[in-house]
């Protein structure tokens, strides 16, 4: 009997100790789309033997790890101050989670990065990653569901045939998911100037690397380089001049708010973004548009941006 690709169960939970998987339960379920799994990445080492005749040589697999990419909806918990379903995923991407009254805030961290364990069933075959860390891109596009694209890398665990956990997806399936529209996405500005926006992407740019040495094996986040890419309707240069801002390396605030009701608002704030050189002008429906690129800059450190659920 074939194994159907769409029969998936996805569980993820933070680890208390690196590489030590907690007991993953139904409540750790993740509702995801566009899942792609590479279960056995690594290198193949040849013995480089000098043989008496020509022929291929076998290899030895080393530095084995796994990669999992997927997307999830950018949505709050439904109640202000509660941790959103996406929170545990952000924690695996070098973001710190802080509950502050009716808000939950995520900001970058440079040390003591958390790790997560993942179980992914396809049919009755369970694929597991432990000690996983990753990177992500937040996308908010007009007339589309805002989503976050993740790519996680973790230590290899031998796949096995295990009866799947029955996932608890009720809250995520019943979440108040909002398409990005004028009504649902009430604010987008650059340098205090409101823009008509077509697309927005904040890329975390985490450098994720496997480190396999004698005495220590793990997946590390060794650096990061955040970027913002957005396409907006062009304005008169007397109102907003991205060319002058780029030439003078001016830093501007970028702010985006999606959702209006308590418990379902998400705000992305970048207090100091350096405008980069605008690329080729674009048009859509015969309207001139600017593709803009900005780089979130540090102030005191680890304050390049914040993501607030409220």
């Amino acid at each position: 009997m074939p194994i159907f690709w769409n029969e998936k169960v996805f569980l993820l939970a933070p680890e208390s100790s690196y590489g030590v998987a907690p007991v993953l339960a139904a409540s750790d379920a993740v509702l995801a789309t566009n899942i792609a799994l590479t279960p056995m990445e690594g290198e193949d080492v040849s013995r480089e033997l000098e043989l008496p005749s020509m022929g291929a040589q076998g290899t030895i697999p080393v530095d084995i790890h796994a990669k999992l990419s997927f997307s999830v909806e950018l949505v709050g918990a439904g109640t202000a101050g509660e941790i959103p379903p996406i929170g545990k995923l952000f924690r695996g991407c070098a973001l710190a989670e802080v509950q502050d009254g009716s808000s939950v805030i995520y900001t970058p961290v440079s040390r003591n990065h958390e790790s997560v364990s993942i179980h992914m069933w396809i049919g009755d075959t369970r694929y597991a990653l432990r000690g996983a860390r990753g990177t992500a891109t937040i996308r908010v596009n007009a007339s589309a569901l805002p989503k976050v694209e993740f790519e996680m890398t973790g230590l290899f665990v031998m796949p096995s045939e295990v009866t799947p956990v029955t996932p608890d997806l009720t809250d995520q399936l019943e979440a108040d998911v909002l398409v990005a529209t004028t009504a649902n996405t009430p604010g987008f500005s650059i340098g205090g100037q409101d823009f008509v926006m077509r697309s927005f992407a904040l890329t975390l740019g985490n450098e994720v690397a496997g480190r396999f040495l004698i005495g220590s094996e793990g997946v590390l986040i060794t650096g990061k380089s955040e970027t913002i890419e957005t396409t907006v309707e062009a304005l008169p240069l007397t109102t907003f001049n991205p060319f002058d801002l780029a030439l003078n390396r001016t830093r501007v605030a970028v702010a985006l708010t999606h959702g209006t009701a308590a418990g379902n608002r998400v705000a992305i704030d970048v207090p100091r973004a350096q405008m980069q050189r605008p690329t080729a002008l674009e048009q859509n429906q015969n309207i001139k548009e600017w593709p803009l690129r900005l780089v979130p800059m540090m102030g005191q450190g680890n304050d390049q941006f914040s993501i607030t659920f409220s």
Side-chain angles (χ1 to χ4, degrees), residues 98-130:
V98 175
Q99 287 180 278
D100 183 12
S102 61
S103 299
V104 184
I105 306 168
Y106 296 88
T107 53
V109 289
S110 297
R111 294 183 178 182
N112 302 318
H113 300 145
E114 292 190 83
S115 58
V116 299
S117 283
I118 298 170
H119 286 176
M120 168 66 69
W121 275 270
I122 304 176
D124 288 338
T125 305
R126 184 185 70 184
Y127 302 89
L129 290 74
R130 58 185 179 86

Side-chain angles (χ1 to χ4, degrees), residues 19-95:
V20 179
V23 177
L24 275 71
S27 59
D28 296 315
V30 175
L31 186 63
T33 61
N34 300 321
I35 294 172
L37 174 65
T38 308
M40 202 173 186
E41 284 274 2
E43 302 292 335
D44 296 301
V45 176
S46 173
R47 294 173 67 189
E48 301 292 347
L49 299 174
E50 300 287 349
L51 299 174
S53 59
M54 294 182 183
Q57 298 183 22
T59 58
I60 303 169
V62 297
D63 299 349
I64 304 302
H65 57 283
K67 289 187 175 182
L68 178 68
S69 62
F70 55 92
S71 298
V72 300
E73 296 165 339
L74 182 64
V75 63
T79 301
E82 287 190 2
I83 294 173
I86 203 172
K88 58 189 178 184
L89 306 177
F90 280 151
R91 289 169 60 185
C93 294
L95 298 183

Side-chain angles (χ1 to χ4, degrees), residues 54-223:
M54 294 182 183
Q57 298 183 22
T59 58
I60 303 169
V62 297
D63 299 349
I64 304 302
H65 57 283
K67 289 187 175 182
L68 178 68
S69 62
F70 55 92
S71 298
V72 300
E73 296 165 339
L74 182 64
V75 63
T79 301
E82 287 190 2
I83 294 173
I86 203 172
K88 58 189 178 184
L89 306 177
F90 280 151
R91 289 169 60 185
C93 294
L95 298 183
E97 178 183 81
V98 175
Q99 287 180 278
D100 183 12
S102 61
S103 299
V104 184
I105 306 168
Y106 296 88
T107 53
V109 289
S110 297
R111 294 183 178 182
N112 302 318
H113 300 145
E114 292 190 83
S115 58
V116 299
S117 283
I118 298 170
H119 286 176
M120 168 66 69
W121 275 270
I122 304 176
D124 288 338
T125 305
R126 184 185 70 184
Y127 302 89
L129 290 74
R130 58 185 179 86
R133 295 181 170 118
T135 190
T137 298
I138 301 171
R139 296 192 187 278
V140 181
N141 295 337
S143 302
L145 292 173
K147 292 190 175 183
V148 186
E149 301 167 356
F150 289 91
E151 183 178 276
M152 307 300 294
T153 302
L155 299 175
F156 173 76
V157 178
M158 182 63 70
S160 59
E161 297 298 303
V162 180
T163 301
V165 170
T166 300
D168 181 2
L169 292 167
T170 302
D171 290 345
Q172 295 176 69
L173 287 169
E174 296 179 356
D176 189 11
V177 181
L178 302 173
V179 170
T181 64
T182 300
N184 295 332
T185 312
F188 178 68
S189 64
I190 302 174
Q193 174 64 52
D194 293 332
F195 277 92
V196 174
M197 182 262 284
R198 174 176 298 280
S199 64
F200 171 90
L202 169 62
T203 299
L204 302 189
N206 293 342
E207 298 172 13
V208 183
R211 186 170 171 84
F212 299 93
L213 301 178
I214 297 171
S216 178
E217 294 187 349
V219 175
L220 306 177
I221 295 175
T222 59

Side-chain angles (χ1 to χ4, degrees), residues 229-287:
E229 292 181 321
T230 183
T231 300
V232 299
E233 283 191 4
L235 296 174
L237 297 181
T238 51
T239 302
F240 188 91
N241 191 333
F243 308 98
D244 182 71
L245 294 173
L247 190 63
N248 290 288
R249 299 180 295 165
T250 303
R251 300 182 182 186
V252 293
V254 179
L256 183 151
T257 301
H258 177 70
T260 58
N264 205 27
R265 286 190 295 260
V266 185
I268 299 173
D269 291 294
V270 182
R272 293 165 297 274
Q274 181 183 328
M275 181 69 71
Q276 302 290 285
R277 291 178 294 107
T279 56
L281 300 180
E282 298 178 0
Q283 68 84 25
N284 197 290
Q285 298 173 301
N286 204 30
I287 305 298

